[in-house]
Amino acid sequence: MTAQMNRRRLMASAGVMAAAAATPSVFAATPASATAEQGGARLIPPGKLGTITFTQRDVPSRIGIAASARLGVAPTMGFLGGPHFPEDPTDLGPLVPLPGGWRELLHYLARLGFKQIEFAGYGQHAENPGGAAPNPAPGGVVTPESRAAYLAYARTLRGFLDEFCLEAIGNHGFIPNTWPGPSSPGGSMSTTDRERFQTELEFAAILGMPYMGTGNDPTSANDRNIEPWTLAGEKWEALNRLSLASGIHLYPHNHSPAYNFLQDGPLVTVTQDRVTGAPIPPTQVRGESGKRLMQHYLDVTDPSLCVVELDIYWAHVAQHQWRWRYDWEGNRVEDVFDPRAQVARQTKRYALFHAKDGDATGEPPGVGNGYNFIPFGDPRSDIDFRTFYRGIGARGFHNSNYEQDNAPGGTADPGQSLRHTRISARNMSTLRG
C-alpha cells in the first residue's frame, strides 16, 4: 500500500480526523530554527527514529476516538499542544479528544516522524479496532485455538503498522526459563516453553521484527558472582540459535545494576566503606577485577548471535552509582563507568537503545539514581546525547527508541504522554553533529 493510498484511507476515518481537525498543530512540521544551533547530519537517521510503547502505555488501554463515536460514549479529552508547542511547553492548546488503541496511537506516532515501534506488550482496550489481545497460552499452555487467535491478532497489528509505514523493531515480552543445553533446568527445553517461544517468534515474524527481547537483564543483577552471568551467556546463545531460524535476534535490556562490578576474584578483607571510604569493621567480600556484569556477558557470548539493548539513561545512572570497587587485594579503587566507551568497544553488539533523558538530581556520587526522567532533549537535560552518539562509531546503525518512564499524566493530564512524545520526536530528529 502506498503512502498516498494510506492517506486516502485515513481521510475516511472520521474519528481520527476529528482530533486532527480540532488540533491542527499536533502534526506541525519541525521548525527550521530547531536545527540551526547544531551543524552536521542527523545523529539519529530518519529511518531509525523509534519509541517504545511503554512511554505511551496509557493510550492503547483507553477507548479511542473512533470506538467512542461507535459506542456513543464521550472520548477521553486532553491537551496535545497549541500552535507554539513544543517551543513553548506551556501552550497546551485546546481540549481535544485523545487517541486510544493501537491504530490511533500508531497514526499519531507516524505523523510525528517515528518510523520504528518497540512494543511493550500487545494489549489494548477490547473496544478499539482489532479488539483485545488474545492470551497465547491460557493456563500456561498453548493450544491450537489460542495460537490461531494470537497470530490472527498479529496480522491485525501488522496491518496497522503497514497502514502508517511503520516498522516493528522489537518487543519486551516472553523469554523462556529453559533452553537446550546441559545447564538448563531439567537438561533441556520444556515442552510448554518451546511451544510458547515458537508462538511468540511466529507473532514477531508476522510483525516483521528483526529483534525480540525482554525488559530485563540476561540474569538477575542482584547476584554479581561470575558464575550465573557465565550461565546466562549459555542460555541466551542457545535461545538465539533457535530464534535465528526465524531471522530474529533476541536481546536483553539493561538497567543500572547490569553495569555494577562483576565479583570474579577471591575472598578479600575490606576495611573501608565502598561509597564513602569511611572505616568499617573488617569484612570479607569477593574481589572485583573491574569488569562490569554486562561486559562479561558480552565476552562469553558469540557476537554473531547475541545483541543487547542499552538504556542510555540507566547507563548514566550506573556511572553515578557504581564508582568504587574492591580489588583482588581488598583495596577500595575508584573506577568510573563510561557509557560511551562501553558501547564504542563493541558498538554493533548494542543494536538497540532506549533514548531516555535525565535531569541531574545533585545527589552525591553513589547516592540515589542521580537523575530524574524528563522528555528527550528537554532544556533540563544533563545527558550529552550529541557527544554520546558522535563517539560510539557505526553511525546510523543503532535503533534508538524514545522512552520516558513517567510520561503518562494519569487522569489529571491524560494527554501528557503524547505531548512528551511530540517534544521528544522533535528533539531526536534535530540532534545533529
Side-chain angles (χ1 to χ4, degrees), residues 102 119 121-123 132-136 146-158 161 168 170-171 195-209 211-212 246 248:
W102 285 123
F119 286 90
Y122 304 122
N135 185 346
S146 68
R147 177 182 172 275
Y150 193 54
L151 299 184
Y153 184 76
R155 288 187 281 274
T156 297
L157 287 185
R158 178 60 186 264
L161 291 164
N171 177 51
E195 291 177 351
R196 174 71 187 276
F197 188 48
Q198 184 59 43
T199 300
E200 295 293 349
L201 286 170
E202 290 180 63
F203 193 107
I206 290 169
L207 292 188
M209 287 182 185
Y211 305 101
M212 187 175 86
S246 301
I248 298 170

Side-chain angles (χ1 to χ4, degrees), residues 4-257:
Q4 184 179 15
M5 289 172 67
N6 280 331
R7 285 194 293 271
R8 286 200 298 268
R9 181 173 175 181
L10 188 61
M11 288 294 289
S13 175
V16 174
M17 289 309 296
T23 316
S25 66
V26 171
F27 303 129
T30 300
S33 61
T35 65
E37 296 178 1
Q38 298 178 352
R42 287 177 59 162
L43 290 171
I44 302 175
K48 300 286 188 175
L49 189 67
T51 185
I52 178 169
T53 59
F54 181 73
T55 304
Q56 307 88 13
R57 59 192 178 275
D58 54 328
V59 180
S61 62
R62 66 178 171 233
I63 295 179
I65 300 167
S68 296
R70 175 174 55 82
L71 296 170
V73 300
T76 301
M77 304 294 288
F79 300 102
L80 293 178
H84 303 293
F85 185 90
E87 288 74 22
D88 177 4
T90 66
D91 179 17
L92 300 182
L95 197 65
V96 297
L98 295 177
W102 285 123
R103 185 175 182 275
E104 292 177 8
L105 174 59
L106 295 176
H107 170 217
Y108 181 87
L109 295 174
R111 294 296 298 268
L112 293 181
F114 287 105
K115 291 296 182 183
Q116 295 184 333
I117 304 298
E118 184 182 16
F119 286 90
Y122 304 122
Q124 69 165 354
H125 195 288
E127 296 295 344
N128 289 315
N135 185 346
V141 177
V142 176
T143 66
E145 295 77 15
S146 68
R147 177 182 172 275
Y150 193 54
L151 299 184
Y153 184 76
R155 288 187 281 274
T156 297
L157 287 185
R158 178 60 186 264
F160 295 159
L161 291 164
D162 289 348
E163 181 178 2
F164 304 117
C165 302
L166 295 170
E167 174 191 6
I169 194 64
N171 177 51
H172 284 191
F174 175 80
I175 300 294
N177 290 320
T178 59
W179 66 94
S183 301
S184 173
S188 63
M189 197 170 190
S190 71
T191 300
T192 55
D193 271 355
R194 183 178 294 276
E195 291 177 351
R196 174 71 187 276
F197 188 48
Q198 184 59 43
T199 300
E200 295 293 349
L201 286 170
E202 290 180 63
F203 193 107
I206 290 169
L207 292 188
M209 287 182 185
Y211 305 101
M212 187 175 86
T214 172
N216 299 317
D217 296 318
T219 188
S220 173
N222 293 327
D223 187 343
R224 297 191 290 115
N225 288 300
I226 188 173
E227 292 81 7
W229 283 81
T230 302
L231 182 60
E234 176 191 322
K235 170 183 176 177
W236 282 79
E237 277 200 350
L239 293 178
N240 265 286
R241 289 190 180 97
L242 293 177
S243 69
L244 283 169
S246 301
I248 298 170
H249 278 280
L250 297 187
Y251 64 92
H253 178 66
N254 298 162
H255 297 92
S256 64

Side-chain angles (χ1 to χ4, degrees), residues 299-321:
D299 288 346
V300 300
T301 52
D302 185 339
S304 70
L305 295 175
C306 298
V307 298
V308 178
E309 179 176 68
L310 177 85
D311 188 305
I312 301 173
Y313 170 95
W314 287 112
H316 283 78
V317 171
Q319 182 183 66
H320 172 83
Q321 290 178 326

